């Protein structure tokens, strides 16, 4: 992970792996979600707090850019808010 950007891969297979992502505030960041299992209802990932909603077609990684200017803890979840992950910006 360089100082210029932070890019984290999250595998989506019956949940989020890793479930908690720690990012450095003020450094541009992206999350790339790769759904590798049809298990569960994880075909959409969204976060009201982080301001994204993205469909996750099976085995087609999707990247979202995050605003890291504000430190804090932010939740993301599947479309039905059953599976949760967290972004920690500090
Ligand atoms: Cu769900």
């Amino acid at each position: 992970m360089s100082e210029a950007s932070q890019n984290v891969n999250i595998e989506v297979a019956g949940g989020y792996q890793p479930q908690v992502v720690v990012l450095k505030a003020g450094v541009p960041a992206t999350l790339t979600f790769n759904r590798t299992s049809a298990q569960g209802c994880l075909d959409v990932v969204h976060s009201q707090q982080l301001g994204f909603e993205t469909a996750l077609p099976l085995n087609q990684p999707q990247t979202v850019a995050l605003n890291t200017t504000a430190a804090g803890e932010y939740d993301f979840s599947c479309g039905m808010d059953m599976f949760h992950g967290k972004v920690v910006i500090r």
Side-chain angles (χ1 to χ4, degrees):
M1 195 181 287
S2 74
E3 287 293 305
S5 65
Q6 310 172 87
N7 307 291
V8 178
N9 293 311
I10 299 176
E11 184 175 6
V12 182
Y16 301 104
Q17 183 65 35
Q19 198 167 11
V20 178
V21 175
V22 179
L23 299 171
K24 192 177 283 189
V27 179
T30 60
L31 301 180
T32 298
F33 293 91
N34 187 16
R35 185 164 69 102
T36 58
S37 166
Q39 181 188 347
C41 53
L42 292 143
D43 57 335
V44 171
V45 61
H46 73 158
S47 172
Q48 200 158 29
Q49 296 173 325
L50 293 167
F52 68 82
E53 173 159 334
T54 304
L56 299 178
L58 203 54
N59 298 314
Q60 294 178 43
Q62 303 293 311
T63 298
V64 299
L66 299 185
N67 182 336
T68 59
T69 52
E73 297 194 0
Y74 305 93
D75 290 327
F76 60 87
S77 66
C78 73
M80 307 193 125
D81 296 326
M82 294 164 59
F83 295 93
H84 295 267
K86 188 190 289 186
V87 174
V88 178
I89 298 172
R90 64 189 180 199

